[in-house]
């Protein structure tokens, strides 16, 4: 007998390695748009982008900025940090980044073997992810993850992002399960673990570094392969 009627997973940094893939995409942009003439080196360019991008994603998650502001302002601000005021260039870089970034497909360790195990056990599985539809769906397609999931619930589809309870309620309605019949697996203690707890959904915190936190997930693992011991 299966432990749960449905397993929900986060995508970014639970399966899709954000840091590795983002850096690969940014190296390509750095070369394509001649950023070596504007920044001391790639590390300075990429470090600035990561800081700006992270701040804007937090503001997007908290409802401070909208989708278009996040998509476009990160490159406007990146260029501004080098004294460049060129909205057209920022838009070109944004469009190219959104086009190429999902095509890089480095996954977190043990992603495929763990999903194959759970799929083989017969667990219905879906993704709940904060992100843009066109990007998240291409990530799943290009990384070979699509065959494992029944559906992908994005913040764009739900109209609200994690940790807001609305996105978890939306995903459960689509899967036709209640909070006691499913479980959330994710790497972010706030958006995934706290978020799912707000609707009474149990969770598994994937915590590779053993970071301290104040949440109470049902399970906590260091590696995805440990999910085999839970399910």
């Amino acid at each position: 007998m299966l432990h749960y009627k449905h397993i929900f997973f986060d995508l970014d940094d639970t399966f899709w390695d954000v840091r590795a893939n983002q850096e690969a995409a940014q190296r390509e942009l750095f070369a394509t748009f001649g950023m070596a003439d504007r920044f001391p080196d790639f590390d300075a360019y990429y470090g600035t982008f990561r800081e700006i991008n992270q701040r804007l994603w937090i503001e997007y998650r908290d409802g401070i900025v909208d989708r278009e502001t996040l998509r476009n302002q990160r490159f406007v601000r990146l260029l501004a940090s080098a004294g460049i005021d060129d909205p057209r260039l920022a838009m070109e870089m944004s469009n190219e980044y959104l086009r190429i970034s999902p095509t890089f497909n480095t996954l977190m360790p043990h992603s495929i073997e763990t999903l194959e195990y759970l799929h083989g056990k017969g667990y219905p599985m879906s993704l709940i992810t904060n992100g843009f539809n066109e990007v998240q769906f291409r990530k799943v397609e290009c990384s070979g993850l699509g065959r494992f999931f029944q559906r992908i619930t994005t913040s764009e589809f739900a109209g609200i992002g994690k940790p807001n309870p609305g996105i978890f309620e939306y995903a459960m309605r689509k899967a036709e399960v209640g909070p006691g019949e499913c479980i959330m697996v994710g790497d972010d203690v706030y958006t995934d673990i706290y978020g799912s707890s707000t609707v009474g959904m149990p969770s598994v915190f994937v915590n590779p570094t053993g970071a301290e936190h104040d949440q109470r997930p049902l399970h906590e693992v260091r590696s995805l392969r440990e999910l085999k011991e839970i399910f």
Side-chain angles (χ1 to χ4, degrees):
M1 182 179 295
L2 299 179
H3 296 168
Y4 299 97
K5 291 185 177 179
H6 212 95
I7 304 176
F8 293 107
F9 287 94
D10 170 57
L11 175 61
D12 291 335
D13 280 333
T14 298
F15 294 120
W16 198 80
D17 189 332
V18 172
R19 180 119 189 203
N21 294 318
Q22 184 184 84
E23 181 173 342
Q26 287 294 343
R27 284 190 183 278
E28 191 164 314
L29 259 66
F30 186 78
T32 299
F33 290 95
M35 290 294 109
D37 296 333
R38 312 296 186 101
F39 289 84
D41 52 33
F42 175 75
D43 289 342
Y45 164 89
Y46 182 53
T48 303
F49 174 83
R50 288 189 69 236
E51 181 180 338
I52 292 168
N53 190 52
Q54 184 176 34
R55 185 162 57 246
L56 280 167
W57 268 108
I58 291 171
E59 292 176 359
Y60 176 71
R61 180 196 70 194
D62 294 342
I64 298 170
V65 301
D66 62 14
R67 177 176 181 268
E68 292 307 310
T69 299
L70 168 58
R71 287 177 59 149
N72 299 324
Q73 277 297 308
R74 53 189 171 184
F75 286 96
V76 169
R77 297 180 189 183
L78 174 63
L79 294 176
S81 73
I84 306 166
D85 180 13
D86 192 336
R88 178 176 292 183
L89 176 59
M91 181 65 73
E92 290 175 358
M93 293 181 71
S94 176
N95 290 340
E96 183 66 2
Y97 179 64
L98 291 172
R99 187 185 72 82
I100 68 171
S101 62
T103 66
F104 294 90
N105 56 17
T106 298
L107 297 176
M108 302 301 287
H110 313 297
S111 291
I112 298 297
E113 70 177 78
T114 301
L115 286 169
E116 286 178 339
Y117 168 83
L118 295 171
H119 188 262
K121 295 272 285 187
Y123 279 104
M125 297 181 286
S126 295
L127 292 166
I128 306 177
T129 174
N130 287 351
F132 311 136
N133 289 349
E134 73 270 29
V135 174
Q136 300 304 79
F137 276 84
R138 288 193 71 209
K139 285 178 183 177
V140 171
E141 177 186 358
C142 292
S143 61
L145 295 175
R147 60 194 171 102
F148 297 110
F149 299 108
Q150 292 188 350
R151 68 180 49 82
I152 304 170
T153 294
T154 65
S155 52
E156 191 172 348
F157 271 144
I160 197 75
K162 298 182 293 185
N164 191 290
I167 191 170
F168 297 97
E169 291 166 347
Y170 177 94
M172 286 190 291
R173 284 196 303 272
K174 291 294 184 180
E176 299 183 339
V177 293
E181 301 174 307
C182 58
I183 192 166
M184 178 71 198
V185 182
D187 73 292
D188 191 301
V189 74
Y190 180 55
T191 59
D192 299 321
I193 308 309
Y194 166 74
S196 60
S197 75
T198 64
V199 296
M201 187 190 297
S203 63
V204 181
F205 181 32
V206 183
N207 186 11
T209 64
E212 294 185 3
H213 59 89
D214 60 359
Q215 296 301 307
R216 294 178 178 271
L218 183 60
H219 302 283
E220 184 168 336
V221 298
R222 290 291 190 97
S223 167
L224 287 172
R225 67 176 9 163
E226 292 177 53
L227 295 181
K228 297 179 183 179
E229 301 169 13
I230 296 172
F231 299 106

